[in-house]
Amino acid sequence: MRTSVLARQASPILPRMDDRHDLAGFAARGFALLPGAVDAALRQSLIDAVQRVQDSVPRLAPELRERLTLERDLPATHRDGIEAGSVGDAIFILGDPVAFDAVFWSVLRQPVITQAIRAALGGVEVAAHFMNVTIKQPGLGRRIGWHRDFANGYASPPRSCFLRAMLCLDGMTGAGGATQFIPGSHRLADEEASAAKPPRGWQPPPDDIVTVTCAPGDLVLIHPKVLHGGGMNRSARTRRNLILQAGDAAVPLRAPPALEAVLGHRLTES
C-alpha cells in the first residue's frame, strides 16, 4: 500500500498525483510527485553507497573530502542549537556522488526519471547540471529555510529553464523534515523571482503551506521558482534525498561548478 500524500497544514489531505508526469499539476502548483520512480534494488544500492561514504569520512582523500558538507561545519541555529561537538562526522550534503560510487550514474538512466524531467521541461534536449545527496540525520538534521532555486549561486542558467528532481531514498515524513511548498508561488517572471528572495527567517502563513510526504523510491519534481523549505528531522530515521538538477541543454550555466562529473550529461528517454 503506497503512502505518498500531499498534506496542507491544518487542512485535509489533498488528492495524490498518480499520473506518471502530472504536467498540469506541475504547471499549476510548481511541484509534482511521481510514485515508484526506482525499484527497491537500486534504491537500496544507493542507500548502501551513501552509508559507505558516511562510514569512511575520517579516512577520505582530500579530493573526496572537499565534496562533502558536514553538519559540524554549519551553524547550529538550523538544528535547534545542537552544537558541532555533538554531531560527529554527520554528512549534510554529499556532493558529486558519482565521484564516490559509480552506482549513482544509474539514476541518469532511469526511464521514469529522465522521461518525467524531459516532459516537465517541454520535451527539449536536457542536460544534467549537478547531483548531490542531501541528508537530514535523525534527531539533528537541519531545517532548510524558504527559498527558490532560481536564481541560485551554484549552478544556475540565466533563465528558469531547469528543474530539480528529488529522489526520496527513505521516503519523507512530517517528523522527518519533509519538503514543504507554497503552491503557485512559481507563477512570476524570472526577474521578479530573482529579486523576491524571502528574508532570513521568514515563515509563510501555515495555511499556505503544503507538506509532501512520500514513500521510499518516490520522485518529487521541483519548479525552479516555487518557494519551498523544510523542517528539522526530529524522527529516529535518516532522511536521504538524491537531488538532480537538469535543464535545457542549449542554455549554458552562468558559472559551471568545478566538481560535478554529471555536468553536461544528456538525459535520454532510454
Side-chain angles (χ1 to χ4, degrees):
M1 183 176 183
R2 299 209 59 82
T3 59
S4 302
V5 297
L6 300 176
R8 190 179 291 274
Q9 288 194 350
S11 298
I13 290 174
L14 299 177
R16 284 183 55 218
M17 295 181 286
D18 287 318
D19 181 80
R20 292 313 300 178
H21 295 154
D22 189 37
L23 298 182
F26 181 75
R29 289 180 291 263
F31 61 94
L33 174 64
L34 284 71
V38 298
D39 62 35
L42 176 56
R43 184 180 66 83
Q44 190 60 54
S45 293
L46 295 168
I47 288 174
D48 291 345
V50 173
Q51 190 59 49
R52 285 193 292 272
V53 178
Q54 179 64 77
D55 293 342
S56 65
V57 169
R59 304 183 301 278
L60 287 175
E63 62 270 20
L64 292 177
R65 173 62 182 82
E66 68 178 329
R67 289 167 163 82
L68 304 181
T69 301
L70 302 186
E71 272 287 351
R72 67 179 183 227
D73 298 329
L74 299 170
T77 51
H78 279 207
R79 52 177 185 265
D80 281 3
I82 298 173
E83 295 297 335
S86 301
V87 302
D89 291 328
I91 299 171
F92 174 51
I93 294 179
L94 194 171
D96 194 23
V98 298
F100 293 86
D101 198 306
V103 70
F104 291 101
W105 284 109
S106 302
V107 175
L108 301 180
R109 298 191 292 269
Q110 298 304 301
V112 171
I113 296 175
T114 59
Q115 291 169 16
I117 292 173
R118 286 172 61 93
L121 291 175
V124 299
E125 186 174 4
V126 174
H129 294 163
F130 72 81
M131 181 189 293
N132 73 44
V133 182
T134 300
I135 305 169
K136 290 190 177 184
Q137 304 283 351
L140 60 90
R142 64 186 33 250
R143 59 184 167 85
I144 297 173
W146 290 93
H147 67 283
R148 291 182 168 96
D149 294 331
F150 179 82
N152 69 77
Y154 182 65
S156 185
R159 51 191 176 87
S160 59
C161 53
F162 67 97
L163 57 72
R164 289 187 183 175
M166 182 167 66
L167 179 61
C168 303
L169 299 180
D170 304 284
M172 293 196 296
T173 65
T179 302
Q180 299 177 312
F181 296 89
I182 301 181
S185 58
H186 64 300
R187 295 198 292 266
L188 72 174
D190 284 0
E191 294 76 13
E192 294 177 272
S194 295
K197 295 184 178 180
R200 186 180 298 273
W202 176 80
Q203 286 293 319
D207 287 348
D208 291 349
I209 298 171
V210 166
T211 299
V212 175
T213 63
C214 65
D218 287 356
L219 184 76
V220 182
L221 298 181
I222 303 173
H223 192 283
K225 292 189 289 189
V226 71
L227 281 166
H228 60 291
M232 266 186 67
N233 181 359
R234 303 183 186 281
S235 76
R237 299 181 61 185
T238 305
R239 197 216 74 172
R240 290 161 284 216
N241 286 346
L242 187 149
I243 311 296
L244 171 65
Q245 180 176 301
D248 187 339
V251 182
L253 298 179
R254 285 171 170 160
L259 300 177
E260 291 291 348
V262 302
L263 177 63
H265 182 88
R266 296 302 198 263
L267 274 63
T268 59
E269 296 188 10
S270 55

